[in-house]
């Protein structure tokens, strides 16, 4: 049998010929360079075609190729069968077997003929090319690449010659291993024996490499599976956290509703008990004996009505109102309660400002509710003397005059983008360059300043991300707003904080200022020192003066009030609690519920409701933070 490799190489079957073994030098040469790894990588027929032959097809299916060269098919089958048979003789004793089924389809569905997998016919530079791949039992493969030198116009006819011109072991081109020596013809047995020796020499490394790749792929698959499992667990945990948070919010809402119902019921019970006692004593509930203890209005509702009308009528018929009077040229203020019995209670306020008057109203209502307002009793005659007229009619306040517009003095910081068409409101009078970062307001005005001759609306400043650079008048107004907001309710404590913990005081002022004026730049440098001083002064004005000491007997504090004071101290401590111990937080929640009951028993829950809600919300926030950290871990 004769197989033509190239025009100068012909394979002849020489029985009994034994080709020399592959030397170390030859094998080492194959294992050098960039193609060394190709000796250890398995290959498919498609990879050989695409890597070595190009992608231009003459025939789109195997069947079309075989039908075009029917007679050649028979010869190709015989040639490949003889090649595989000779290769197996060379591999005898190695435990490796070459070839697949004689004809038909292999395990992967590829067409086979003569023990080899036959590739599609492709055209490279107008020459038809095809590949035959012989699989080996250890996973390696030998590929023969044929071309037809007699084909006309790139098409193979029945009598065209197929010539093998390239040999590959796995992905490595080993044609030079079977090349003729000194121009002599090479026999089929020489070619197959040389290839068999190379296959045997490479088998151990190839098998080891494939085992490592199989193990690596297995590890990768296992890690991917584990990752998918962890992702599912994470998703499940996040779902549980969301469900628990929803349940927590529902429980908190239910708890708040239950507390409100309980407080309401206790107020109703107290009112009914008072009426019962009054009926048993033959005294109507609105008489003097029940004054100050039978009204059911909450402090918050009373102050809301007073904020609108300047006065309010309590459920027991008493009237409470704000009072302003002139004290030697200085406008002062007080809060007055006129009881149905004829008694008049008056508590002076440190200032006529709304925040200070509101704090005074809270204190007087509390004392009146607890029956401790006798020291604030003024006779009707006294209340009418001199500059403190009794229960004057609410004087209409003059309508505030609009401030004169400033010209070119409303300066805004360009926070997130420079000035440009559509990036700032129209009508600016000047655009100034950005200051250095360490200059005053340099950090907020990253893109410079812009000035207007009118003040922008809050909506305009927010939409265009501008921050008003405050003037001294702006800081004075903001200081009053901050001091009369939530800080005003605890003005005395905040004044003390300013002296003992200035850093905490500054933080609280900054938090409230940004909430009240979100579109105003927080003061910096000397503006900040001035602003903090103004806030402190406003809070000091709202702090009531210490009661004058006298020789009269001081009112005795009841056990209920002592317990209520201890409960309030504990609520203050809870709002500062920072813990990740669930047991400690649950214990704190239990004690908060006890503090609520103590305040309700003492009749002091209404005026301290905000403090109770703040403590309960703080503990809930701690629990939510712990749950989120657990889900993230």
């Amino acid at each position: 049998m004769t197989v033509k490799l190239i025009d100068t190489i012909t394979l002849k079957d020489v029985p009994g010929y034994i080709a020399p073994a592959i030397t170390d030098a030859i094998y080492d040469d194959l294992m050098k360079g960039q193609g060394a790894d190709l000796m250890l990588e398995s290959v498919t027929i498609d990879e050989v075609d695409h890597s070595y032959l190009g992608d231009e097809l003459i025939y789109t299916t195997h069947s079309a190729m075989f039908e075009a060269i029917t007679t050649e098919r028979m010869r190709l089958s015989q040639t490949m069968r003889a090649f595989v048979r000779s290769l197996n003789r060379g591999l005898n004793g190695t435990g490796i077997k070459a070839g697949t089924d004689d004809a038909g389809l292999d395990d992967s569905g590829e067409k086979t003929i003569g023990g080899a997998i036959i590739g599609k016919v492709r055209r490279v530079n107008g020459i038809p090319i095809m590949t035959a791949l012989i699989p080996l039992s250890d996973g390696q493969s030998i590929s023969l690449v044929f071309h037809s030198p007699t084909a006309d116009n790139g098409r193979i006819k029945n009598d065209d010659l197929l010539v093998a011109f390239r040999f590959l072991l796995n992905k490595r081109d080993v044609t030079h291993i079977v090349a003729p020596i000194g121009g002599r013809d090479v026999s089929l047995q020489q070619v197959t024996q040389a290839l068999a020796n190379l296959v045997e020499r490479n088998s151990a490394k190839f098998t080891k490499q494939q085992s490592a790749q199989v193990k690596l792929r297995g590890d990768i698959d296992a890690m991917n599976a584990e990752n998918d499992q962890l992702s599912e667990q994470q998703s499940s945990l996040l779902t549980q956290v969301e469900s628990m948070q929803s349940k927590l919010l529902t429980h908190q809402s239910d708890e708040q509703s239950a507390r409100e119902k309980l407080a309401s019921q206790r107020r109703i019970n107290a009112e009914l008990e008072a009426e019962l006692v009054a009926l048993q004593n033959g005294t109507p509930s609105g008489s003097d004996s029940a004054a100050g203890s039978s009204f059911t209005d909450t402090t918050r509702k009373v102050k809301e009505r007073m904020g609108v009308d300047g006065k309010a009528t309590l459920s027991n018929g008493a009237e409470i109102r704000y009072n302003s009077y002139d004290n030697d040229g200085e406008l002062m203020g007080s809060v007055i309660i006129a009881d149905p019995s004829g008694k008049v209670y008056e508590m002076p306020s440190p200032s006529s400002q709304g925040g200070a008057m509101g704090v005074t109203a809270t204190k007087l209502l509390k004392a009146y509710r607890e029956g401790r307002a006798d020291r604030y009793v003024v006779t009707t005659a006294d209340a009418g003397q001199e500059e403190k007229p009794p229960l004057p009619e609410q004087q209409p306040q003059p309508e505030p005059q609009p401030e004169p517009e400033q010209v070119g003095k409303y300066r805004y910081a360009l926070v997130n983008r420079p000035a440009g068409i559509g990036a700032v409101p129209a009508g600016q009078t000047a655009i100034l360059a950005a200051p250095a970062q360490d200059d005053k307001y340099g950090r907020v005005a990253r893109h410079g300043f812009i000035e207007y001759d009118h003040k922008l609306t809050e909506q305009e400043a927010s939409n265009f991300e501008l921050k008003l650079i405050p003037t001294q008048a702006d800081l004075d107004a903001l200081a009053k707003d901050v001091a009369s907001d939530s800080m005003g309710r605890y003005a005395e404590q905040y004044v003390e904080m300013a002296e003992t913990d200035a850093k905490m005081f500054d933080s609280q002022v900054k938090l409230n200022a940004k909430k009240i004026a979100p579109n105003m730049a927080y003061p910096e440098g000397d503006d900040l020192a001035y602003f903090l001083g103004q806030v402190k002064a406003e809070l000091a004005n709202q702090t009531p003066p210490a009661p004058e000491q006298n020789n009269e007997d001081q009112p005795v504090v009841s056990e209920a009030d002592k317990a209520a004071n201890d409960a309030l101290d504990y609520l203050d401590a809870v709002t500062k609690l920072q813990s990740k111990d669930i047991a400690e937080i649950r214990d704190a929640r239990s004690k908060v519920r006890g503090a609520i009951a103590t305040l309700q028993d003492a009749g002091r829950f209404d005026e301290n409701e905000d403090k109770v809600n703040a403590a309960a919300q703080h503990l809930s926030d701690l629990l939510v933070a712990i749950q989120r950290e657990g889900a993230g871990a």
Side-chain angles (χ1 to χ4, degrees), residues 421-436:
I421 298 176
V424 294
Q428 72 274 6
T429 59
I431 297 176
L432 307 179

Side-chain angles (χ1 to χ4, degrees), residues 84-164:
V84 170
R85 187 166 53 248
S86 178
L87 183 61
N88 277 324
R89 283 200 300 269
L91 293 171
N92 189 23
T94 63
I96 303 173
K97 184 181 179 191
T100 180
D101 294 337
D102 185 63
L105 299 174
D106 70 343
D107 295 338
S108 63
E110 297 287 350
K111 296 282 186 178
T112 62
I113 182 171
I117 300 173
I118 305 301
K120 297 174 179 152
V121 177
R122 300 172 183 270
R123 184 171 58 210
V124 180
N125 295 328
I127 301 175
I129 302 294
M130 64 169 291
T131 303
L133 183 143
I134 302 173
L136 304 176
S137 59
D138 65 346
Q140 300 189 81
S141 62
I142 293 175
S143 302
L144 287 73
V145 183
F146 295 92
H147 78 94
S148 178
T150 62
D152 183 19
N153 196 24
R155 298 184 64 85
I156 300 176
K157 298 186 291 293
N158 293 340
D159 56 350
D160 283 332
L161 179 64
L162 288 179
V163 178

Side-chain angles (χ1 to χ4, degrees), residues 458 461-462 466-468 478 512-521:
E458 294 295 320
S462 176
L466 303 177
K467 294 287 186 182
L468 175 66
L478 181 60
N512 283 274
K514 288 191 172 183
K515 180 177 67 174
I516 294 172
N519 297 317
M520 180 186 296

Side-chain angles (χ1 to χ4, degrees), residues 482 487 494 497-498 501-515 522 528 531-532:
V482 169
M487 296 183 72
Y494 278 116
M497 180 189 294
D501 191 349
K503 186 175 181 181
M504 177 63 73
F505 177 75
D506 295 350
S507 176
Q508 291 296 318
V509 171
K510 184 175 183 180
L511 180 66
N512 283 274
K514 288 191 172 183
K515 180 177 67 174
Y522 191 70
L528 179 58
F531 175 65
L532 292 175

